[in-house]
Amino acid sequence: MERNPMRRQLASLRKSLFDQGYLDEQFMELEQLQDDANPNFVEEVVTLYYRDSARLILNLDHALERRPLDFSKLDGLMHQFKGSSSSIGAKKVKAESTLFREYCKYGNAEGCMRTFQQLKKEYATLRKKLETYFQLARQIGPMESANRPK
Amino acid sequence: MTVEQIGSEGKDQFPIGMRVLAVDDDPTCLLLLGTLLRRCQYHVTTTSQAKTALKMLRENKNKFDLVISDVHMPDMDGFKLLEHVGLEMDLPVIMLSANGDTKLVMKGITHGACDYLLKPVRIEELQNIWQHVARRKKKDRCNSGSKDKPHPDSGEAAGIGNVDNNGKLNKKRKDQNEDEDDERDENGHDNEDPSAQKKPRVVWSVELHRKFVAAVNQLGIDKAVPKKILELMNVEKLTRENVASHLQKFRLYLKRISCVANQQANMAAALGTADSAYLRMGSLNGLGNFHTLAGSDQLHNAAFRSFPPSGVLGRLNTPAGLGIRGLPSPGTIQLGHVQNSGHPTNDLSKLQSFVPGNHNTNILQGMPMSLELDRLQHNKSVGHIGELPTTDSTTVFPGSGKLVDARITGFSNNPLLGVTSNSLMLEGSSQQATSHTSVSAIGFQNGNALSDFTSIAPASYQLQDSKAGSQGQASPINCNAGQIIRSAPQEWNAPRKDAPYQSHASINSSIPINSAMIQLGQCLDRNNSIFHRTTDLDSVGPLNFVDPLSIKHGEGDNSIMEPSVIEKEGYLMFQPRPHGSHVPDNIGSLEDLASAMMKQEGGCNGYSLRTSI
């Protein structure tokens, strides 16, 4: 009983993440992989993502400080980042990554830097939202969160 | 959690339990991939390092059914890993990347990936990847069903020398590699390293090889089919499969030799007569033989013949392998060089002197000369040849068995020796084969040499296999084989490629060429497609070598032996290994030689060596 409002809240939160374009279908794929055997799978993956991608973000930051910019290197780093982000369904982050790579391709330093700033914002925003989501989900219980999406 | 366990009996419930190795440096992706795969009920092993993946795969080739790998990885490029896996383990590999560029996908295809998936991967896509494994299994089944066939076919059909064979062989080379490997495991050839043994291995001892070569000679390289060879050999517990596999290798060897021989053509031409002399040398007991050699076109040993123009021999001798370095150079061996065959004797004598004089090894010594020849550029090698006869027939080539021993050891230090032994092999009609390693057989020996040759060749093959690019090595060995073969059939004159076999006949038996030879072939192939032909050891027949020799006159221009050829090949065995890897006594030596070569080459690791000896 008490869970219902929480569940509703969770559902609503989840829906908004999709609606607002923070998450895409890939996130649903993750959810599907969550089961009794893997009750916290989604959270695990997301946690891992944030931990690992922090390193990439840092590298990108450093690379963007160099002058002149090494676009090829930047592109490579971003490629990795993009791959990771797409794995969890981070839609906006992924979009920024793509844009960033385009700028790299054309050697547009300013475009790269601008885009990267935007990317970091999206990255941070998503993280907060997902943290909230998972917190709520944990409160409700693994079974439920597993059943909920779909 | 239990999904993984299903893997253990995987096969029965395939695709359930299919063993997948997932490689991705990105931990997020790797976790996702692993989970997805497990959801598909595969047995999954994950690693973020390509190097670790390779290590795991190498540890046990049968541990996995499929590999999925990311393209962009920090420690190793995904395509590189793909290549390695394809070459070494021949497992299906699926590439994974966030980048779906056509170019990249194409690259994946060209590198042999059986599929290219885009990240993020979806479970639906992974649910079907088992098809790649199933497809390959089916293909393997078909191949193994006729595993024996291709070998004999290639050998027989081609008649060894045929260019077609080359093509076929070439094409089959990889298959053969695989097949050989398989065969080795399955047929129990001793080439393989015992760890993967499944059946009792057949050790192609010198004696056995000798019988083999004898049988092949008897039947004629073209008609030598495993079944008949088996019958002629009359060895208990030897299966047709064993013979077939060995035959294949032998053919490769011959091919190689003939290739060399052909190349040597120029040299041969020059040597031409000299060659004869050389060959004769093998049989000649002492220098006296030289004369014969010089004069008679037909090497009676034919061993020489097979000794393809200096090139081949040279290689063998090449001090590098033989250690003969010291060989009297240019003057001595001139045999090949001689252009005017009239001098063969002279050269021979030189050669003779060259030979260190190990009697037993003399022959070898003589042989090395041939190898040296190459090196010396004809001169030298010739010299060696001459040497051979010195000690006595046995030493020279006839040594057939003896030489072999001597030779191989000789190889290491004594290039000549080593060579000789090989040559010895040649000479004897292959009886000698003992010295497999005696690449030297190159042709020195008349018939025996061939045997040796073969033996030598095998060694080389072995080496070759290592894929190390022992090409050089391979070549020399091949030469030997070719030479050996040559001695027998005296056909030199027809420098046909197919001819190579002739000497081959003598080779029979002795050369456990097995892996060695094949390797040679393989190596050679690398360098040179000609060698490729050698697979037909049987068919290779000395002619090839001979031919070049016979051709002599005309082309002779530079080195008799055509060092270039040899060099190309990579110096049959000797080169690579300057000292020969101390071949332990004939059989051993071949192996050692092979191994030595291989090591040099970098890597054969006993792959080949083991084989024949």
Side-chain angles (χ1 to χ4, degrees):
Chain A
M1 292 312 260
E2 278 158 9
R3 290 213 189 128
N4 283 344
M6 280 164 78
R7 272 194 229 123
R8 273 201 294 272
Q9 197 182 347
L10 191 67
S12 155
L13 181 53
R14 180 176 172 278
K15 189 169 184 293
S16 75
L17 285 171
F18 282 106
D19 291 344
Q20 289 166 24
Y22 286 102
L23 295 175
D24 61 25
E25 304 76 35
Q26 180 62 23
F27 191 82
M28 290 182 198
E29 296 273 335
L30 294 183
E31 289 172 323
Q32 296 208 5
L33 287 173
Q34 188 159 292
D35 55 14
D36 292 350
N38 252 328
N40 298 312
F41 181 68
V42 187
E43 190 178 352
E44 272 171 31
V45 180
V46 172
T47 306
L48 185 56
Y49 164 74
Y50 273 101
R51 198 184 325 136
D52 186 61
S53 56
R55 173 183 54 89
L56 285 169
I57 296 274
L58 199 61
N59 290 343
L60 277 159
D61 263 326
H62 289 157
L64 281 166
E65 279 163 18
R66 293 195 186 203
R67 293 292 176 275
L69 289 182
D70 181 350
F71 289 106
S72 151
K73 181 172 181 193
L74 287 168
D75 184 70
L77 285 168
M78 191 49 80
H79 174 265
Q80 288 181 50
F81 183 80
K82 182 181 170 187
S84 258
S85 307
S86 63
S87 292
I88 67 155
K91 195 172 179 181
K92 290 195 181 185
V93 174
K94 184 178 166 183
E96 294 298 329
S97 310
T98 306
L99 188 58
F100 182 91
R101 292 188 75 199
E102 282 293 303
Y103 281 126
C104 281
K105 195 162 120 190
Y106 293 108
N108 186 333
E110 206 207 304
C112 282
M113 290 194 274
R114 226 183 325 118
T115 307
F116 189 61
Q117 296 311 312
Q118 185 62 25
L119 181 148
K120 281 196 281 187
K121 273 201 213 132
E122 296 293 348
Y123 176 80
T125 307
L126 179 64
R127 180 198 229 135
K128 282 202 206 89
K129 289 187 184 277
L130 285 173
E131 274 171 6
T132 308
Y133 175 79
F134 288 126
Q135 246 171 10
L136 191 54
R138 260 183 267 123
Q139 282 172 27
I140 293 170
M143 284 283 241
E144 269 142 322
S145 27
N147 294 335
R148 185 161 319 167
K150 308 304 183 275
Chain B
M1 60 203 162
T2 45
V3 178
E4 259 139 18
Q5 266 119 43
I6 295 182
S8 44
E9 6 353 80
K11 302 285 174 302
D12 302 325
Q13 306 163 337
F14 187 84
I16 290 176
M18 184 174 82
R19 298 157 309 168
V20 183
L21 175 63
V23 191
D24 194 331
D25 65 308
D26 185 319
T28 312
C29 297
L30 191 63
L31 176 58
L32 177 59
L33 182 63
T35 310
L36 283 168
L37 289 167
R38 286 181 192 113
R39 186 50 77 86
C40 295
Q41 295 188 291
Y42 301 139
H43 184 283
V44 189
T45 306
T46 58
T47 174
S48 59
Q49 305 264 329
K51 300 211 167 110
T52 310
L54 260 183
K55 185 161 163 275
M56 283 197 265
L57 288 163
R58 280 174 182 151
E59 265 168 22
N60 185 349
K61 288 186 187 181
N62 295 325
K63 209 168 152 201
F64 299 102
D65 298 308
L66 179 82
V67 179
I68 296 188
S69 167
D70 184 31
V71 167
H72 287 92
M73 289 189 285
D75 66 331
M76 187 190 291
D77 183 33
F79 293 117
K80 224 183 168 93
L81 174 65
L82 167 59
E83 262 178 33
H84 278 295
V85 175
L87 282 174
E88 297 176 33
M89 294 110 209
D90 190 35
L91 284 176
V93 181
I94 294 178
M95 300 309 292
L96 208 55
S97 177
N99 190 338
D101 250 14
T102 309
K103 281 195 220 118
L104 267 186
V105 177
M106 192 58 184
K107 195 173 176 192
I109 294 171
T110 54
H111 280 77
C114 54
D115 208 346
Y116 194 106
L117 301 177
L118 284 188
K119 283 193 203 177
V121 172
R122 290 156 54 99
I123 198 164
E124 295 82 10
E125 293 169 310
L126 293 176
Q127 270 163 347
N128 281 335
I129 59 174
W130 61 267
Q131 62 177 290
H132 302 293
V133 176
R135 196 175 293 126
R136 206 165 276 226
K137 279 192 192 160
K138 181 168 179 260
K139 188 180 94 170
D140 286 347
R141 250 179 264 123
C142 289
N143 282 348
S144 40
S146 52
K147 190 177 298 201
D148 285 340
K149 278 203 241 145
H151 304 318
D153 286 345
S154 45
E156 292 159 11
I160 311 179
N162 291 341
V163 182
D164 295 337
N165 278 350
N166 280 344
K168 261 212 267 182
L169 286 170
N170 280 331
K171 180 178 98 126
K172 287 196 171 42
R173 187 143 81 87
K174 183 153 190 229
D175 290 339
Q176 278 164 2
N177 273 335
E178 298 174 294
D179 287 347
E180 277 165 27
D181 286 345
D182 292 343
E183 281 184 12
R184 281 201 214 121
D185 286 335
E186 294 170 20
N187 294 338
H189 279 207
D190 55 350
N191 297 341
E192 259 338 53
D193 98 33
S195 60
Q197 231 169 327
K198 288 178 199 157
K199 298 185 191 171
R201 264 180 193 203
V202 169
V203 173
W204 282 92
S205 65
V206 171
E207 198 47 49
L208 197 61
H209 184 74
R210 194 180 308 161
K211 279 191 181 164
F212 172 82
V213 180
V216 170
N217 282 340
Q218 195 172 330
L219 293 167
I221 198 65
D222 289 339
K223 299 221 179 79
V225 283
K227 191 163 171 212
K228 288 193 188 149
I229 297 174
L230 189 63
E231 282 166 17
L232 280 175
M233 281 176 74
N234 193 22
V235 170
E236 220 181 86
K237 290 199 189 154
L238 191 67
T239 69
R240 187 189 153 280
E241 265 182 354
N242 301 144
V243 174
S245 163
H246 193 68
L247 177 66
Q248 192 198 12
K249 294 173 189 171
F250 192 59
R251 284 201 175 122
L252 270 169
Y253 170 71
L254 290 181
K255 215 170 239 241
R256 265 189 241 189
I257 298 179
S258 62
C259 289
V260 173
N262 287 334
Q263 297 195 1
Q264 305 289 347
N266 291 345
M267 303 217 305
L271 285 176
T273 46
D275 287 340
S276 319
Y278 285 132
L279 290 174
R280 304 283 169 101
M281 295 222 295
S283 48
L284 295 177
N285 285 333
L287 293 172
N289 288 340
F290 281 91
H291 296 289
T292 334
L293 288 172
S296 37
D297 187 26
Q298 36 170 158
L299 293 177
H300 67 243
N301 286 325
F304 273 105
R305 291 219 210 186
S306 41
F307 182 86
S310 42
V312 173
L313 287 175
R315 280 286 164 137
L316 290 175
N317 289 326
T318 41
L322 299 177
I324 294 206
R325 312 270 178 117
L327 285 177
S329 40
T332 40
I333 315 244
Q334 296 294 329
L335 273 182
H337 224 13
V338 211
Q339 322 278 328
N340 18 9
S341 33
H343 289 305
T345 32
N346 290 342
D347 293 327
L348 288 177
S349 28
K350 286 196 190 161
L351 290 172
Q352 292 180 346
S353 52
F354 205 118
V355 180
N358 298 322
H359 290 291
N360 282 343
T361 52
N362 279 347
I363 305 194
L364 289 176
Q365 298 190 346
M367 300 263 293
M369 295 201 290
S370 35
L371 291 178
E372 281 292 329
L373 281 174
D374 226 355
R375 274 233 333 143
L376 294 181
Q377 282 271 314
H378 330 305
N379 293 338
K380 299 205 198 141
S381 37
V382 174
H384 292 297
I385 305 202
E387 299 256 313
L388 293 173
T390 34
T391 45
D392 57 33
S393 47
T394 32
T395 40
V396 171
F397 293 116
S400 42
K402 292 199 203 154
L403 290 180
V404 174
D405 295 328
R407 35 168 186 26
I408 312 263
T409 43
F411 270 166
S412 3
N413 303 312
N414 203 349
L416 287 178
L417 288 182
V419 173
T420 33
S421 41
N422 292 332
S423 42
L424 288 179
M425 305 269 286
L426 290 175
E427 151 175 294
S429 42
S430 62
Q431 300 302 314
Q432 307 304 342
T434 40
S435 47
H436 295 294
T437 45
S438 40
V439 176
S440 50
I442 312 193
F444 292 114
Q445 324 272 351
N446 332 303
N448 295 340
L450 286 177
S451 331
D452 287 340
F453 210 94
T454 8
S455 50
I456 299 187
S460 34
Y461 278 107
Q462 300 189 329
L463 293 178
Q464 305 308 342
D465 243 317
S466 46
K467 278 194 201 190
S470 355
Q471 303 185 351
Q473 301 185 340
S475 338
I477 304 198
N478 289 328
C479 295
N480 288 335
Q483 309 215 336
I484 302 189
I485 302 197
R486 301 241 252 160
S487 48
Q490 326 231 313
E491 310 196 68
W492 320 21
N493 303 306
R496 317 182 272 199
K497 293 194 181 187
D498 347 76
Y501 184 77
Q502 319 225 343
S503 352
H504 202 60
S506 32
I507 303 193
N508 17 291
S509 62
S510 17
I511 312 187
I513 306 195
N514 308 355
S515 48
M517 299 252 278
I518 304 210
Q519 303 208 336
L520 269 179
Q522 317 241 334
C523 294
L524 286 180
D525 281 329
R526 276 196 243 234
N527 284 322
N528 188 339
S529 53
I530 306 186
F531 276 113
H532 204 54
R533 292 196 329 157
T534 38
T535 29
D536 294 346
L537 287 175
D538 295 330
S539 47
V540 173
L543 284 190
N544 289 333
F545 288 106
V546 176
D547 291 333
L549 289 177
S550 41
I551 294 185
K552 49 202 183 188
H553 323 294
E555 306 134 14
D557 57 312
N558 356 347
S559 42
I560 304 181
M561 308 265 244
E562 206 140 95
S564 54
V565 174
I566 303 196
E567 267 147 19
K568 246 189 338 179
E569 316 273 43
Y571 277 115
L572 296 177
M573 297 235 312
F574 293 98
Q575 284 302 341
R577 319 211 64 54
H579 11 211
S581 36
H582 56 258
V583 203
D585 240 298
N586 42 311
I587 306 205
S589 45
L590 261 184
E591 269 187 8
D592 285 343
L593 195 49
S595 37
M597 294 191 11
M598 302 219 316
K599 282 189 194 157
Q600 280 200 345
E601 292 302 333
C604 306
N605 294 336
Y607 187 81
S608 45
L609 285 183
R610 302 272 173 179
T611 46
S612 38
I613 314 227

